[in-house]
Amino acid sequence: MSLDKRLEHCGMTKHENDLLFKTVEMHTGGGPVRIVLSGFPEIVGDTLLDKRQYLLEHLDQARRMVLLEPRGHNSMYAVFLVKPDMPEADLAVIFSYGEYCGYMCGYATIALGRFAIDYGLVKGVSPETTVKIQCPCGLVTTKVEYDNNGKTGATRFESIPCFVFATNLKVDVEEYGQVQYDIVFGGNFYAYADISQFGINFDTASIKEIIQASMALTRAAALSVKPCHPDLTSASYIGASVLYDSTRMECVDAVLKFILVYGDCHVERSGCGTGCCGFLALLHRKELIKVNEWKRFVNGKTRSQFTARVVKQVAVKDTPAVITELSGKSFYTGECTFLHETSDPLHFLEIK
């Protein structure tokens, strides 16, 4: 019998108490999305935020096994599907990277729109299907292209309210001196700063140099200011920094170049959905963009792109905010089955 024939009848043997979980693998602009389908321990809680906290407090080792080596890597991004507590939601999700669980991920949301239809969670309707996703930051409505042959395509979504918390702040950043920055909520709180203040630019700087500058700003900003979300107090922290090129920012037809570094040195591969949504709120606050004016956002290193616009002005209690719409496209890269044997002492590796 040939090797191919023999391999057809082979498979992993799961023993009692082994953890075997299955995933769907996708990417949006190079940003990896690992959607956990089955096999993961039950995530319990009355609300989505309760379940997020339960995952961090009681299932953290299993969560990190999904994300980190030897099954993943330091920049892997995972999505855990749970039952929604919002009656209008089609599904609910917990976003997670190695160290923590964020409140929103734009590029993962784009992937989830396609996934929900292709895996039968939502029935496809031509020419566009609505998928409502309960995220830790709130309900996000996606619209997914769906043709007459049942093929899903590009996805757009309307954000939760995005707002500027503070502008024109200044902080002393170790090794770089005084830096001016803004704090904006686009699903998570980020610090935004012009990359030129760090003596580097996207064309010549290495990824290492960008990471060092971004992480230095995140640390300094987090120690200097504690942002506050009027409705989502648990999200009131600065989780990352966005460095951008302001060279043509005031031009109507400008392609806005930026990059986000989050967590412990994770570099965003995609055009960064939450970063774009926050950027739109910042541009609108500074009167550099109007409602329904489309902008193109480009990752400063990978060149991955999203297009986005401000849809309307709203308020979060007394805080002026905007609803944004962002469009992009995701792709499947595979389906995987992962195993952790109880006899294996190595659950995960976190190399920093």
Side-chain angles (χ1 to χ4, degrees), residues 148-163:
N148 292 326
N149 297 315
K151 175 71 173 175
T152 51
T155 300
R156 58 190 176 96
F157 70 84
E158 284 197 2
S159 71
I160 44 81
C162 304
F163 61 90

Side-chain angles (χ1 to χ4, degrees), residues 5 58 62 71 110 121 152 156 166 169-170 192 201 211 241 244 256 259 263 266 293 305 323 327 343 345:
K5 288 292 184 182
H58 300 283
R71 298 165 195 84
I110 288 171
L121 301 180
T152 51
R156 58 190 176 96
L169 300 173
K170 293 182 179 179
Y192 287 71
N201 62 70
I211 289 173
S241 287
Y244 60 84
L256 301 176
I259 200 165
H266 303 303
E293 182 181 331
Q305 301 182 17
I323 300 294
S327 178
S343 58

Side-chain angles (χ1 to χ4, degrees), residues 92 260 277:
L260 175 128
C277 294

